[in-house]
Amino acid sequence: MSLFRKKTVSQILIDANKSDAGDMVKTLGVRDLTSFGIAAIIGAGIFSTIGLASYNGGPAVSLLFVFTAIACVFTALSYAQFASTVPVSGSAYTYAYVAFGEIFAWVIGWALILEYAVSNMVVAISWSEYFTSMLAGFGILFPKYFAIDYGSAARAYEQVQQLTQAGKPLTTLPDNTRVLADAYAAAPSVGGLKLIANLPAGAVTVLITALVYIGIKESRTASNILVILKLAVIGLVIAVGAFYVKPANWSPFAPNGISGVLSGVASVFFAFIGFDSISTTAEECKNPQRDLPRAMLYCLGICTVLYVLITLVLTGMVNYKELGVSDPLAYVFQKVQLDFVAGVISVSAVVAITSALLVYQLGQPRIWMTMSRDGLLWKRFATIHPKFKTPSFATIITGILVAVPSMFMDLKFFVDLTSVGTFFAFILVCAGILFLDAKGLSSQSKFKVPYVNGKYIIGLVLLIVLTESLLNSHHLLETLEAKPLLGVFWIAWAVLAVLGYQRNFSLLPVIGILTNLYLMTELGASNWLIFVIWLVIGLGIYFSYGFRHSKLAAHDGGINVD
């Protein structure tokens, strides 16, 4: 009974047609898919986390957006080839099943569940911040203790208490910390426990889940409308903000050096997550093998240009040190006395961020549906609603798993966590293209990653980079001590160089692997610890249920219970 048993492309397509998912409504075209991609990518990232990244890295963060976009392009090309080869809703989970086998497919599927759920939590929390700010603009004060997580409020209150006991002035604390402390103090109590929760974040998740439950056509229409509004607001920000740019604010360009720029990797990468989510709608596309590759590349290109322009405008309008706020777009226009534009942005952000929430909430149930169809999850997750033609049970569970944590956890925890699973999935998708090439399966792909022979290039560039690093060996040792995962990066590059020479690896997927692996080394140890815990839980479920109930287990003499 092999952990590495694989499904063929033809077998996956047959299973998809036999399942209830074959009744799903095929209504999406390339414009709809591109719209979904833009909706997912330009969400909380451009309206909130872009400010924190600029605060840490200065104007040079615009280059980090370009670098991260390049990494995503190589990955997007790999996703596009797989999507044209295996046009089903499992995304990277299904691609790994074809290339590497069941255990890798499970790990990726489990990681994607984390990615999509965590991404939605971030979006829901950001939506709540903009929503309460919008209400305040209309003179409606929403109770702060019902729009914040318990942990942030409790920590802020503790800081205030410590300063008060020490006899120090509270003016040394940031304004936001004092606001949270006041919220904690004012919150109602039951049995000594403060009632504090982010109710708007939970409420919007429930509403979006209901929309996704009702149907793909309704979700498509809502997404298209929201994306048009979102692009109009971003165009307004760029056009108006350009007149208030002071080039002096771009100097120094990288005030905190490379380390400052790279410290924003988690935030910036989170801003790009989303182009892969449209592959989860493959079974609701009119022509998935043609339209999915196009839509992925279109949305990534459009969003990269917008991100770079927005970053340059933000850091040009005010000093980068002022951008460490949760609503940077609205803040910079308030700073230059354009309160009307700031108000438009705040109102529009509430609507626009909703579109990102919609796409992620759309994608996760479809991954669960595909895993259930393969027998790795309980059959209930593959249930298709007879009227709405959506994975009904999986959608409800997704809503619960996103709504509850978003009411009680803070934003930064989720932003850092979401990137680990995503990088892992991206690396395996890029590696999967090398597998397809090696096995001659790329001939089945209607879209192919452009082939550039990396036989000599991979190893040659490695030697150049290693030589440069060894000339500065003291810096290399210090870097490895601070970031031991860089050792894994160098070893992986060396292995790829050897295999690339032996098997004429295509260069572009290799670049995708290396760029994503390098970005992984920039993530903190706490991110990895939580991700490992998540994987251990997932492997426990797989070995206690999925391994024995897998549809492929019948071929190994295992249990196959429908």
Side-chain angles (χ1 to χ4, degrees):
M1 298 178 68
S2 175
L3 293 174
F4 304 99
R5 51 199 178 199
K6 301 173 183 176
K7 298 190 75 171
T8 64
V9 174
S10 58
Q11 187 177 2
I12 288 174
L13 296 177
I14 291 171
D15 289 346
N17 290 329
K18 284 182 178 179
S19 70
D20 291 339
D23 296 330
M24 297 176 79
V25 181
K26 299 184 182 298
T27 187
L28 303 177
V30 67
R31 280 189 292 184
D32 301 317
L33 294 168
T34 304
S35 176
F36 274 135
I38 295 173
I41 296 174
I42 302 182
I46 204 164
F47 286 103
S48 57
T49 57
I50 194 173
L52 180 61
S54 298
Y55 172 79
N56 291 327
V61 164
S62 57
L63 298 182
L64 181 59
F65 275 102
V66 174
F67 175 69
T68 308
I70 291 172
C72 287
V73 164
F74 296 124
T75 307
L77 289 170
S78 299
Y79 261 95
Q81 178 168 335
F82 265 118
S84 72
T85 310
V86 195
V88 296
S89 296
S91 188
Y93 157 77
T94 300
Y95 309 155
Y97 220 147
V98 172
F100 302 109
E102 188 170 279
I103 186 64
F104 282 99
W106 170 266
V107 169
I108 286 298
W110 193 244
L112 287 176
I113 289 172
L114 178 68
E115 173 200 335
Y116 282 28
V118 168
S119 297
N120 256 359
M121 293 170 199
V122 172
V123 177
I125 294 170
S126 297
W127 185 93
S128 176
E129 291 180 356
Y130 273 95
F131 177 72
T132 53
S133 296
M134 180 191 72
L135 291 181
F138 288 107
I140 303 172
L141 296 180
F142 193 89
K144 188 65 177 178
Y145 47 80
F146 284 148
I148 190 65
D149 64 280
Y150 183 92
S152 296
R155 286 191 296 270
Y157 183 76
E158 182 64 25
Q159 285 182 269
V160 168
Q161 292 298 104
Q162 289 175 354
L163 281 182
T164 302
Q165 292 172 5
K168 296 180 180 179
L170 297 182
T171 53
T172 58
L173 289 174
D175 291 341
N176 189 52
T177 301
R178 282 177 280 170
V179 169
L180 292 181
D182 291 340
Y184 183 89
S189 301
V190 174
L193 178 65
K194 292 286 187 177
L195 297 181
I196 299 175
N198 197 332
L199 297 184
V204 72
T205 302
V206 172
L207 291 174
I208 291 298
T209 301
L211 175 61
V212 171
Y213 184 91
I214 290 173
I216 188 66
K217 289 183 178 180
E218 292 77 6
S219 300
R220 176 197 63 186
T221 302
S223 175
N224 289 341
I225 293 172
L226 295 173
V227 166
I228 291 172
L229 174 61
K230 185 187 303 190
L231 294 179
V233 172
I234 292 172
L236 175 68
V237 170
I238 295 171
V240 176
F243 290 99
Y244 292 86
V245 167
K246 298 177 181 178
N249 286 329
W250 290 333
S251 181
F253 193 64
N256 298 318
I258 296 298
S259 60
V261 175
L262 291 178
S263 68
V265 161
S267 298
V268 170
F269 190 81
F270 173 78
F272 276 102
I273 293 174
F275 69 85
D276 59 316
S277 63
I278 62 177
S279 62
T280 63
T281 63
E283 291 172 43
E284 290 151 296
C285 299
K286 297 175 183 176
N287 190 342
Q289 293 175 303
R290 181 196 67 189
D291 293 343
L292 282 172
R294 293 182 182 181
M296 287 183 190
L297 299 177
Y298 290 165
C299 69
L300 195 57
I302 292 169
C303 293
T304 301
V305 172
L306 293 176
Y307 273 141
V308 171
L309 291 177
I310 282 287
T311 308
L312 291 175
V313 168
L314 286 180
T315 55
M317 290 179 68
V318 301
N319 187 281
Y320 73 95
K321 294 179 181 178
E322 300 183 47
L323 292 174
V325 294
S326 60
D327 54 348
L329 270 66
Y331 172 80
V332 295
F333 283 97
Q334 290 173 338
K335 187 74 176 178
V336 296
Q337 308 301 315
L338 290 178
D339 291 336
F340 173 74
V341 177
V344 170
I345 291 171
S346 293
V347 174
S348 302
V350 172
V351 181
I353 293 178
T354 308
S355 66
L357 187 62
L358 189 154
V359 175
Y360 289 126
Q361 208 69 354
L362 192 72
Q364 184 173 342
R366 283 151 180 78
I367 293 176
W368 285 13
M369 175 193 74
T370 309
M371 295 175 73
S372 175
R373 178 197 300 160
D374 292 332
L376 303 187
L377 283 177
W378 297 274
K379 186 179 180 181
R380 189 78 183 273
F381 283 97
T383 303
I384 301 298
H385 195 282
K387 177 181 178 181
F388 301 126
K389 306 300 182 184
T390 58
S392 51
F393 179 77
T395 299
I396 293 172
I397 296 300
T398 296
I400 294 171
L401 292 183
V402 172
V404 174
S406 67
M407 291 193 290
F408 300 105
M409 304 293 285
D410 66 354
L411 181 68
K412 188 179 185 306
F413 173 82
F414 289 127
V415 170
D416 291 341
L417 181 59
T418 186
S419 297
V420 182
T422 308
F423 283 133
F424 192 55
F426 283 6
I427 288 171
L428 281 190
V429 170
C430 292
I433 297 301
L434 300 179
F435 171 84
L436 292 184
D437 290 344
K439 297 297 183 180
L441 299 176
S442 291
S443 59
Q444 302 179 38
S445 307
K446 294 191 176 182
F447 173 90
K448 297 180 183 178
V449 176
Y451 179 78
V452 178
N453 194 333
K455 184 180 183 73
Y456 301 105
I457 299 176
I458 302 169
L460 181 61
V461 175
L462 173 62
L463 289 176
I464 294 173
V465 174
L466 274 179
T467 301
E468 177 65 26
S469 299
L470 290 173
L471 292 176
N472 299 283
S473 57
H474 59 290
H475 293 306
L476 177 62
L477 293 175
E478 291 175 0
T479 303
L480 286 175
E481 287 178 6
K483 298 176 182 176
L485 282 174
L486 273 176
V488 177
F489 170 75
W490 291 112
I491 293 171
W493 194 342
V495 170
L496 287 170
V498 173
L499 294 177
Y501 178 81
Q502 294 174 338
R503 303 183 182 182
N504 296 320
F505 275 173
S506 176
L507 182 62
L508 300 189
V510 170
I511 295 176
I513 293 171
L514 293 176
T515 48
N516 283 300
L517 185 58
Y518 178 78
L519 290 172
M520 286 183 86
T521 66
E522 293 293 327
L523 300 176
S526 60
N527 307 30
W528 283 97
L529 177 61
I530 296 170
F531 181 65
V532 169
I533 293 172
W534 177 256
L535 286 185
V536 170
I537 294 172
L539 289 174
I541 294 173
Y542 172 72
F543 285 111
S544 63
Y545 182 88
F547 181 72
R548 295 180 300 113
H549 292 77
S550 167
K551 293 296 178 68
L552 296 185
H555 300 290
D556 293 329
I559 301 172
N560 182 16
V561 180
D562 287 331

